[in-house]
């Protein structure tokens, strides 16, 4: 999914997201100094946080607009990060990485099971032996209940937006309809973005990981220890090559 006008307001909308939890999850499974692929890196917020911790980070994203902002943030922070424009399900040219992460439900933008498997397979080829893959996805419950006819609106000094979630084209898929109103000198500029996400059962993700060659180390939820509960909204996988 390529973000367009949305990319310029993404960080405003995501300002309350607990990125530190993804950083902690990374530190639990990958030693500082590891070479990491940050897949679906967006505007580079997590890439920068991981780099500040001491990781050697390469960011990958489908959106050129997002990557342009990520590059600007990298330069402003004085932290060199290589950002690459590629589709995660068709990644090529990567090898020798110690780990790969797909965070903040970025994997859910893939609409087909074949795309998910191909992503796992490409990442397997990109990792060293013993390399670690960590990713998180929406649970089935979040897609079918939490997001069911979801409507949210908010006003920020920079913009006002309305976010509605409807049923998608595929089983366990959703459509995010985002309408933005940006204040201008003469009134408001309106623009809209449509984003589709889909998730799958835990057993399906696990099967595709194993078919791609990975061994599963951990399946957890909502950044909590222990088995995945029925009310979990975010499922986190850790797998090893």
């Amino acid at each position: 999914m390529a973000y367009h006008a949305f990319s310029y307001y993404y960080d405003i909308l995501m300002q309350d997201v607990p990125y530190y939890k993804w950083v902690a999850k990374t530190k639990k499974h990958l030693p500082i100094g590891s070479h990491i692929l940050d897949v679906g890196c967006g505007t580079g917020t997590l890439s920068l946080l991981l780099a500040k911790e001491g990781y050697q980070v390469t960011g990958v994203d489908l959106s050129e607009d997002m990557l342009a902002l990520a590059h600007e943030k990298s330069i402003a922070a004085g932290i060199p990060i290589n950002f690459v424009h590629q589709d995660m399900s068709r990644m090529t040219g990567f090898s020798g990485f110690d780990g790969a992460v797909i965070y903040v439900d970025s994997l859910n933008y893939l609409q087909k099971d074949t795309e998910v498997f191909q992503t796992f397979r490409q990442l397997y080829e990109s990792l060293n032996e013993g390399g670690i893959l960590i990713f998180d996805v929406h649970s089935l419950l979040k897609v079918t209940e939490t997001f069911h006819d979801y409507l949210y609106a908010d006003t920020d000094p920079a913009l006002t937006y309305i976010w509605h979630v409807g049923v998608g084209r595929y089983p366990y898929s959703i459509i995010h309809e985002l309408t933005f109103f940006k204040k201008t000198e003469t009134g408001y500029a309106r623009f809209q973005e449509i984003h589709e996400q889909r998730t799958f059962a835990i057993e399906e993700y696990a099967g595709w990981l194993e078919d791609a060659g990975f061994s599963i180390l951990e399946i957890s939820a909502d950044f909590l220890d222990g088995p995945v509960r029925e009310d979990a909204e975010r499922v986190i996988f850790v797998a090893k090559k």
Side-chain angles (χ1 to χ4, degrees):
M1 173 61 63
Y3 291 70
H4 300 293
F6 182 46
S7 63
Y8 298 100
Y9 304 104
Y10 181 81
D11 287 339
I12 295 175
L13 302 182
M14 300 290 283
Q15 59 189 350
D16 294 326
V17 170
Y19 288 112
Y20 68 91
K21 292 185 177 181
W22 282 279
V23 173
K25 177 63 71 171
T26 306
K27 292 172 71 174
K28 178 181 177 181
H29 295 282
L30 283 161
I32 299 298
S34 298
H35 289 255
I36 296 178
L37 275 172
D38 181 10
V39 182
C41 66
T43 63
T45 298
L46 268 170
S47 296
L48 282 165
L49 290 174
L50 291 169
K52 288 177 181 178
E53 290 287 341
Y55 292 103
Q56 305 300 310
V57 183
T58 296
V60 181
D61 203 272
L62 180 61
S63 169
E64 291 181 300
D65 290 337
M66 288 282 201
L67 291 175
L69 292 174
H71 183 64
E72 290 176 6
K73 288 160 69 173
S74 172
I75 292 175
I79 300 175
I81 296 176
N82 182 31
F83 290 107
V84 182
H85 176 228
Q86 285 196 25
D87 181 336
M88 70 172 74
S89 66
R90 297 178 175 85
M91 290 172 54
T92 60
F94 297 103
S95 63
F97 284 85
D98 304 307
V101 299
I102 316 175
Y103 285 153
V104 199
D105 51 76
S106 294
L107 190 69
N108 288 132
Y109 280 96
L110 300 180
Q111 297 290 293
K112 299 178 180 179
D113 54 358
T114 52
E115 294 174 328
V116 177
F117 171 73
Q118 188 61 29
T119 298
F120 292 161
R121 189 61 198 169
Q122 293 301 105
L123 289 173
Y124 183 88
E125 295 298 330
S126 302
L127 296 177
N128 294 322
E129 193 68 28
I132 300 295
L133 168 62
I134 312 171
F135 67 92
D136 65 90
V137 291
H138 295 315
S139 69
L140 297 183
L141 177 140
K142 186 172 184 179
V143 168
T144 57
E145 296 187 25
T146 305
F147 275 143
H148 178 68
D149 202 26
Y150 180 86
L151 181 65
Y152 180 79
D154 194 18
T155 299
D156 184 275
L159 81 162
T160 294
Y161 69 94
I162 301 170
W163 172 23
H164 177 256
V165 184
V167 177
R169 297 175 293 167
Y170 302 104
Y172 303 113
S173 69
I174 50 178
I175 298 176
H176 302 273
E177 300 173 328
L178 298 127
T179 304
F180 299 89
F181 300 89
K182 182 182 182 297
K183 191 172 184 178
T184 66
E185 293 181 357
T186 58
Y188 286 88
R190 179 183 181 275
F191 60 93
Q192 188 173 44
E193 291 269 330
I194 303 295
H195 299 276
E196 298 181 67
Q197 287 189 309
R198 184 184 186 186
T199 200
F200 299 89
I202 291 174
E203 294 77 13
E204 291 181 284
Y205 285 116
W208 297 326
L209 283 169
E210 291 171 345
D211 289 345
F214 286 101
S215 298
I216 297 172
L217 300 181
E218 174 187 303
I219 301 176
S220 59
D222 300 331
F223 300 103
L224 300 173
D225 294 327
V228 178
R229 303 186 319 185
E230 292 184 0
D231 62 348
E233 293 198 339
R234 185 181 302 277
V235 182
I236 304 167
F237 292 79
V238 182
K240 182 178 181 180
K241 177 173 177 177

